[in-house]
Amino acid sequence: MLCRNISTLKQKRLDNEKPSPKWKKELVIHSVEAAKTIAIREINTDDALYAQECKLRYDVLRVPLGMTHKDSEKFPFESEARHWVAMRDERVVGCVLLYPNEKDQAKLFQMVVAQAEQGKGIGIALVENLEKAAQSAKIKRINLHARLVAIDFYRRLGYQAHGPIFAEIGIPHRRMVKDI
């Protein structure tokens, strides 16, 4: 229902916007800067850092939506997904998950960076690590459901919007894909 209120004009703008080349140059600078103080590490659901990852996902992705029920950030296929966390001073400040959902495709989901750490290249570094691992695993396409506020972030990383805006967990999202 919420998605029907979004204008067609906005939909067309989202379809036709292209990332600015200037921003892409800045990506490298921000990624290098973030890499000096941030460590990206792959973990699994048995790792001690998994609890911190889940708390970050819950605090950033669920609480602002009023979703306060226990484990609302978890998925049934959680243990089958690959998890990357960004660490600063022994604490998780970002994460992203990848779930191989088809033969040569996978879904990027639960991409999150702590509010105080956003804009420092951490999200970029997480996605770059995920994409390298996906290529090594012979994944050819990554798909995701982006909140509207995140579409430009993914577009700058080469993801393309497909299909109409739709509601997921009560807020507007857009399907995005990238062939790697």
Side-chain angles (χ1 to χ4, degrees), residues 104-106 134-135 137-142 178-180:
D104 57 357
Q105 296 186 33
Q135 286 174 326
K138 307 279 190 261
I139 304 256
K140 294 185 174 147
R141 175 175 277 188
I142 297 174
K178 181 178 181 179
D179 292 326
I180 56 172

Side-chain angles (χ1 to χ4, degrees), residues 44-45 50 53 57 62 73-83 97-101 106-110 143 145 168:
N44 61 40
T45 55
Y50 177 65
E53 174 200 319
R57 288 165 39 194
R62 298 301 188 246
E73 79 288 353
K74 294 184 182 175
F75 292 81
F77 48 85
E78 194 93 3
S79 62
E80 300 165 38
R82 295 180 70 178
H83 301 240
L97 283 68
L98 183 72
Y99 177 65
N101 56 355
K107 181 175 182 177
L108 179 159
F109 67 108
Q110 296 290 284
N143 58 70
H145 294 171
E168 187 171 272

Side-chain angles (χ1 to χ4, degrees), residues 14 17-20 23-24 27 30-31 95-96 108 110-113 117-131 144-160 176 178:
L14 292 171
E17 283 185 354
K18 303 237 183 303
S20 104
W23 202 92
K24 223 166 181 38
L27 287 179
H30 290 302
S31 289
C95 67
V96 66
L108 179 159
Q110 296 290 284
M111 169 68 196
V112 113
V113 174
E117 300 288 346
Q118 292 178 6
K120 299 177 182 177
I122 296 168
I124 294 163
L126 283 163
V127 173
E128 287 174 349
N129 276 269
L130 175 145
E131 288 176 351
L144 60 95
H145 294 171
R147 293 178 181 195
L148 295 187
V149 298
I151 287 175
D152 287 339
F153 168 79
Y154 290 113
R155 188 174 277 122
R156 289 180 191 112
L157 294 172
Y159 289 80
Q160 296 179 340
M176 299 188 82
K178 181 178 181 179

Side-chain angles (χ1 to χ4, degrees), residues 33-93:
E33 184 179 306
K36 292 178 185 175
T37 57
I38 296 292
I40 306 292
R41 183 172 153 203
E42 186 171 2
I43 66 167
N44 61 40
T45 55
D46 296 326
D47 195 298
L49 294 172
Y50 177 65
Q52 283 188 54
E53 174 200 319
C54 289
K55 180 169 178 9
L56 178 66
R57 288 165 39 194
Y58 176 77
D59 290 346
V60 176
L61 297 175
R62 298 301 188 246
V63 171
L65 300 177
M67 299 176 77
T68 57
H69 56 282
K70 186 176 175 6
D71 296 332
S72 64
E73 79 288 353
K74 294 184 182 175
F75 292 81
F77 48 85
E78 194 93 3
S79 62
E80 300 165 38
R82 295 180 70 178
H83 301 240
W84 286 268
V85 294
M87 306 284 302
R88 183 190 300 282
D89 302 324
E90 303 300 315
R91 68 188 169 87
V92 174
V93 296

